[in-house]
Amino acid sequence: METDELMERVADGDQKAFEELYARVSGPVFGLVRRVVRDAAQSEEVAQEVLLEVWRSAGRFDAARGSALSWVLTLAHRRAVDRVRSARAAGEREQREARRSHHPAFDQVLEEVEAGLEREWVRRCLDRLTALQRQSVTLAYYDGYTYREVAERLSLPLGTVKTRMRDGLTRLRDCLGGVA
């Protein structure tokens, strides 16, 4: 029996005709789908969907427009392309969502507020130092001078600068508590 005749009998609900049609077209359907989809498991799934569609919609087959095999392969190609497009679109959606929902590892506003509070706290503690201690600490830590350079800029002995620094840093540590 020809494939076109089998398709007509399948359209009438003949299960035996469908079994024979299935045996004839399942290989070409899977081969076509496999070339388009490329993934074996996905290809098997798409081929099964196509053959189920053939069973359900065999009445739409029109022998005047082409052979049963070409109709089935057209269904298979369309379904395979749809699967590829669907997978691509899903991947693109996931990437867009990942980009959209990407949150930094920290809360930038919170970090800025905390940094501002810490700066204010350090300023208040610096204000509690003597003018000489504050001058030495500021030159060393904010302006980046070495102890020797601070001594030269202030025209003081290095030992005096070291003592001011030690005393000033001790007072800062005590003022800041566990923060420093």
Side-chain angles (χ1 to χ4, degrees):
M1 186 177 301
E2 293 295 317
T3 309
D4 290 358
E5 292 174 50
L6 288 171
M7 185 64 73
E8 289 173 11
R9 291 183 57 197
V10 170
D12 292 334
D14 186 337
Q15 289 183 356
K16 291 284 184 196
F18 180 70
E19 288 174 15
E20 192 173 332
L21 180 68
Y22 184 99
R24 287 187 189 182
V25 300
S26 61
V29 166
F30 178 75
L32 173 68
V33 170
R34 181 81 162 102
R35 282 191 301 277
V36 174
V37 175
R38 307 222 169 158
D39 177 76
Q42 291 279 329
S43 298
E44 289 175 10
E45 190 175 312
V46 171
Q48 287 301 313
E49 290 171 5
V50 168
L51 292 165
L52 182 60
E53 184 178 351
V54 167
W55 171 252
R56 290 180 178 162
S57 62
R60 292 191 348 232
F61 168 68
D62 182 2
R65 297 182 64 184
S67 71
L69 181 61
S70 65
W71 183 74
V72 171
L73 292 177
T74 299
L75 292 176
H77 186 261
R78 287 179 183 160
R79 183 67 62 105
V81 168
D82 286 348
R83 177 65 61 102
V84 169
R85 286 180 179 156
S86 176
R88 186 176 301 135
E92 289 171 359
R93 268 193 311 275
E94 288 174 10
Q95 288 176 351
R96 278 194 310 273
E97 184 59 32
R99 284 191 302 268
R100 189 178 316 123
S101 67
H102 173 70
H103 297 292
F106 63 94
D107 185 340
Q108 186 173 357
V109 173
L110 178 63
E111 291 288 325
E112 289 175 12
V113 168
E114 286 178 349
L117 291 172
E118 288 173 2
R119 281 192 298 276
E120 182 59 32
W121 196 353
V122 169
R123 266 190 230 107
R124 287 183 185 160
C125 290
L126 278 171
D127 288 343
R128 293 184 180 173
L129 301 179
T130 67
L132 298 173
Q133 290 170 339
R134 184 173 42 257
Q135 185 181 34
S136 297
V137 169
T138 301
L139 285 170
Y141 285 91
Y142 288 102
D143 295 338
Y145 292 108
T146 65
Y147 285 15
R148 185 174 309 284
E149 291 169 331
V150 171
E152 290 170 6
R153 284 187 63 88
L154 299 177
S155 301
L156 294 171
L158 181 59
T160 303
V161 169
K162 286 183 177 181
T163 300
R164 286 183 185 171
M165 292 293 295
R166 184 192 68 230
D167 293 345
L169 292 175
T170 300
R171 288 182 74 180
L172 278 175
R173 183 192 65 216
D174 292 343
C175 177
L176 293 171
V179 177

